[in-house]
Structures are given as C-alpha cells and as structure tokens.
Amino acid sequence: MTGPEFPPGFLWGAATASYQVEGGVGEGGRGPSIWDTFAAADGKVLGGATGEVACDHYHRYPEDVGLLADLGLNAYRFSVAWPRVMPDGRTTSAAGLAFYDRLVDELLSRAVVPVLTLYHWDLPQALEDDGGWPERDTARRFADYAAVVHDALGDRVNQWTTVNEPFCAAFLGYGSGVHAPGVQDHDTALVAAHHLLLGHGLATRALNEQARPGHEFSLALNFAPAIPDGDTPAHREAARKFDGIHNRFFLDPVLGKGYPEDVMADVEHHGGRFAAAVRDGDTDVIAAAIDWLGVNYYAPARVTPLEDPLGPGNCPLPGLRGLDVLPAPPPLTAFGWEQSPGTLTELLTWIHERSGGLPLVVAENGASFVDEVVDGRVHDHDRVHYFAEHLEAVHDALRGGADVRGYFAWSLLDNFEWAMGYTQRFGLVHVDFDTQRRTVKDSGRFLGRVAKANALGAPPDGVGDAGA
C-alpha cells in the first residue's frame, strides 16, 4: 500500500565524492590532491588507508550507474576531481575531462539525472603548495575550473553544485587539522572558509555567464542544529554560539545577509585575519543567486554552558568558548552519531523560513552501521529504519510548507570515509574492498521502492519490519 506522496518530479538519488570512490589516482593524467598527501602521512587516516583504489569507480562506473538505475533511483550526485581535470589546478587535462564525459553519458543512457558537484575537498596539491584556501587566489582559480567543467559538460548537465560543505573543508582541514591538509589554526580556518564561500560566489557568476536554459546552480552546506541541555539564558547562549559558527556563518552570507555580527564578535579573539580577508564587495559575490540549497544533515549537537564563559570547552571550532558539546544520546549510528529525524524536519522548516522560501534539496543524509554479507544479502535493518524515519521527516517538512525538491542518500557505495578510512560503511551497496564485489543492501532496495512509488510505504518484500 502506498503511503504519503512526494511532489511530482522529486529527485531520488544517491551521492558519492570523487576521492572517496574513484581510485585511479595515477591514471588519466590526474595530479595529486591534498587528500593523497594527507593520507600518505603516518597516522592521519585510520589503518593507514588511502583513496588510491577506493571503490575503483574510475573503472567500474558503468556497473555502479547500473546498480543505481536498477534500484529505481533517478539522480546521481557525484563530484568532479579538480586534480583530474586540472592536475596543477590551472591547466586543463583533456583526459581528465573525458572521464566525466563518459560518466555523464552513462548516466543519461540510464535515464539518471547527473547532479554535479565541483568541489568535494580534493584540492590540487599544487594549489595547496601555493597557499591553498587561505590564499585568495584559490577562489579565482576555482571559478576558472568551474567554467572549464561547465564548458565541457554543460550541454548535458543541468544541475550544478559549486562547493560541498565548506564548513568541513575549512574548519576540519585548516582548523582542527583532522582532514586534509591538516593545518591547525583557527584564524587560518576562518580565512579559508571565507575564500571557499567567495569561490562559490565567483564560480556561480562564471557558470551563469555560460548558463543554458534549464541550468540550476547551488551549493551544499552541512548543518548541525544546536540543542541546549537546559532552558536557562546560559544554555541558550551556548546554543547561539554553536549555531552561529556551524550554521549561520555559512548560510547567512549565501542568503545575502552577510556574516552574522554575533559570530564576528565570537571569533574576533582569533587574531583578526578573517576580518581583514573580507574585502568590499565580497559578500555581494557570495550572495550570487542560487536556484536551490543543498542541505546535508546527519545529526544535531547537544550543548551545555561552562561556568567559565571563556573556557575552551571540548569542541575545536573557531569562536567556541564557554560551552561543551555533550555525548550524543542513543540510538546511535556506528559512527556514534545521534539519530534524530525530527531535527531534520525542524532544520528544513527553519531554513525555509530564514531563506524566504528558497527551494531545498537534501543533498546528503545517511548512516553508518556494521554490515555483513550473508548468503549474498545484506540485511541492514537499522539503516532501513533510519531511512524510513528520515524520509518521514522530509515529508513532514513538505507538509509544513518547505519547498523540498529532492533527497540523496549518502552514499551509493561503501567508500573511503576520510580520516576513518574504510571502517565506516554508509552505502546502499556493500563493497568488498579486497575483491570490489558489489552487493545491494536491503536499504538500497527499500529506498528504490520508495523512489519508484514517489511515496512512503511499507518496506519491500524480504527486508522485514522497517522498525526492527
């Protein structure tokens, strides 16, 4: 029996990122990225894992596209590797572009909408050597790169996302140093964040100059709503600080509101390089019109104030003094993340209201669990339950008036999960990294059934109770 329906034309898809799935790092003229360098360093990635082979998507993309299409998903969100297209960050590689040309043609041959992301964290190492995202020129180079990819694929790709999760690229890459390139400096991280947003704006302008009818432009931000563990002024202040640096710092400039004044005050003690990096006209560039916003959501953050308002706390984000982030309450994913589907409804509604009704796409949502292949099947009941609850949350937001136009599961494939290596499995499809054998999980079948019906309903035959 079919349950609540989604709007006509709703995008149902799965997402991946180039360094996490492609492999082929030395093929087709690809140059090294900051993640190649970072993963090769001792102790940076769990188990010494790298993306050198990953899911071998570079060679196996026809099989992977076929799996997605056979499930009934109608869209594929993938990222282009800048160092594959421009090995030195500046000079175009025809061989690198040719891979994405083949990938796009394969998607269209299977009636799958290509949703292209230009940057998912794999900066060419050559540009990092010249200063990376803390250097303003990197934003200009990114706009040049965007124009090159658009010129090559814009005749077939209508959906364009500039930057995925600038929060992670800046604050984890240049602040805490747990991601590439491994820099640990909050002031540097803030400058990098500004240049990532500036790069988004410059790229969006460049794409609009080449735009064809039907083209839509966006970026994807990751949100962690702050939930205070009490209702005192101090608790509300702790939530304000966390929400400010994690969410509003990135969202508000994109919406044309500029950087929030309260967040500017929160980060002022880091040295002032960020404020100096924001030049006249930059916020106008960042506010370049987009057609929809990608919303990446996994979990909220539960926060509590410290007695010392200037205490460092346990959350290594710029500006966060006087608060701690508490351990997540169960039920948890294998990553230790809280499962809170209702928070997704609240988040989509909040963005809808704050943006004045900007169209939204859930560009990433998913969960890591411990999966095993038994008799050729992966009965991942916990993930089925996770998707069922979060899709209901998306539908609740739609009923509340939010203009949500698509949902992309993270991820199509089990893959290289950044600093966690291959220890966390998010895929709709299980990957045996020794043999590269793919096995569709029950969660993939469940999401495919929902996509085909464009409606919520009971899980497919053979999956069992979605609540089990």
Side-chain angles (χ1 to χ4, degrees):
M1 180 177 294
T2 301
E5 296 183 354
F6 286 80
F10 197 82
L11 288 177
W12 291 101
T16 63
S18 49
Y19 190 73
Q20 292 182 269
V21 298
E22 282 182 4
V25 297
E27 299 185 52
R30 179 186 178 278
S33 77
I34 56 173
W35 270 96
D36 294 293
T37 303
F38 186 79
D42 289 343
K44 298 296 186 181
V45 176
L46 198 62
T50 76
E52 184 176 357
V53 177
C55 306
D56 199 28
H57 187 62
Y58 183 73
H59 298 107
R60 298 173 183 264
Y61 70 89
E63 176 187 1
D64 295 335
V65 170
L67 288 169
L68 182 143
D70 290 344
L71 285 175
L73 303 179
N74 61 23
Y76 178 47
R77 180 172 178 251
F78 65 96
S79 76
V80 172
W82 190 349
R84 194 178 293 286
V85 170
M86 291 180 162
D88 62 358
R90 297 175 171 85
T91 308
T92 304
S93 165
L97 279 171
F99 167 68
Y100 299 103
D101 194 70
R102 297 191 298 271
L103 174 59
V104 167
D105 283 348
E106 186 69 25
L107 290 166
L108 295 176
S109 75
R110 298 301 303 264
V112 174
V113 175
V115 181
L116 187 153
T117 298
L118 287 160
Y119 187 71
H120 199 133
W121 310 350
D122 45 356
L123 183 71
Q125 182 61 45
L127 292 183
E128 180 61 31
D129 293 342
D130 290 339
W133 285 110
E135 182 65 37
R136 188 179 182 90
D137 188 61
T138 303
R140 302 188 187 100
R141 300 287 74 77
F142 178 65
D144 293 343
Y145 153 69
V148 165
V149 178
H150 188 274
D151 184 61
L153 303 177
D155 59 330
R156 285 156 292 158
V157 176
N158 286 335
Q159 303 293 339
W160 293 82
T161 300
T162 54
V163 178
N164 181 78
E165 298 185 357
F167 168 95
C168 293
F171 292 168
L172 304 187
Y174 294 93
S176 66
V178 297
H179 280 190
V183 176
Q184 295 179 320
D185 184 88
H186 286 320
D187 214 14
T188 299
L190 290 163
V191 174
H194 175 62
H195 291 155
L196 279 152
L197 289 172
L198 183 65
H200 153 71
L202 291 171
T204 301
R205 287 187 172 185
L207 294 173
N208 268 299
E209 290 176 0
Q210 301 177 336
R212 304 183 183 205
H215 283 191
E216 295 183 347
F217 305 121
S218 66
L219 85 163
L221 302 178
N222 57 306
F223 294 87
I227 301 176
D229 73 329
D231 192 27
T232 69
H235 284 89
R236 290 191 290 274
E237 173 68 357
R240 179 203 64 77
K241 288 180 180 178
F242 187 93
D243 172 67
I245 194 63
H246 198 296
N247 303 319
R248 291 183 288 113
F249 179 84
F250 294 93
L251 177 63
D252 282 6
V254 172
L255 297 180
K257 301 175 184 289
Y259 289 108
E261 291 185 6
D262 63 314
V263 182
M264 296 286 280
D266 289 341
V267 303
E268 190 175 12
H269 68 278
H270 284 307
R273 284 177 53 216
F274 165 67
V278 182
R279 301 181 185 177
D280 289 345
D282 281 4
T283 52
D284 291 335
V285 175
I286 295 169
I290 56 175
D291 297 286
W292 51 269
L293 176 70
V295 178
N296 294 3
Y297 169 77
Y298 292 96
R302 297 187 179 267
V303 299
T304 192
L306 299 175
E307 291 187 11
D308 179 0
L310 300 182
N314 62 10
C315 185
L317 295 179
L320 287 195
R321 299 189 294 183
L323 67 92
D324 273 345
V325 175
L326 299 171
L332 303 178
T333 70
F335 222 134
W337 294 346
E338 179 180 351
Q339 299 181 57
S340 180
T343 304
L344 176 56
T345 304
E346 296 168 359
L347 172 64
L348 294 169
T349 302
W350 175 75
I351 298 172
H352 168 76
E353 294 172 349
R354 193 170 187 83
S355 68
L358 182 68
L360 308 176
V361 169
V362 178
E364 287 185 25
N365 179 236
S368 166
F369 292 107
V370 178
D371 300 321
E372 295 183 7
V373 180
V374 178
D375 296 328
R377 294 290 296 270
V378 179
H379 298 297
D380 56 335
H381 302 302
D382 288 339
R383 191 176 289 104
V384 171
H385 182 53
Y386 179 97
F387 281 131
E389 287 197 324
H390 284 76
L391 291 174
E392 182 68 45
V394 173
H395 197 271
D396 287 345
L398 280 162
R399 288 188 299 197
D403 185 5
V404 186
R405 299 188 178 182
Y407 178 93
F408 289 81
W410 184 267
S411 172
L412 174 62
L413 304 166
D414 292 339
N415 56 40
F416 175 84
E417 193 52 49
W418 305 116
M420 299 302 291
Y422 295 100
T423 65
Q424 300 294 322
R425 293 182 177 272
F426 281 84
L428 302 176
V429 177
H430 181 279
V431 178
D432 182 320
F433 295 107
D434 293 326
T435 65
Q436 292 296 336
R437 180 179 178 83
R438 273 78 161 140
T439 304
V440 175
K441 303 177 187 179
D442 284 354
S443 59
R445 293 185 175 88
F446 169 69
L447 190 62
R449 181 177 183 269
V450 172
K452 289 175 182 177
N454 200 38
L456 298 174
D461 294 340
V463 170
D465 183 1

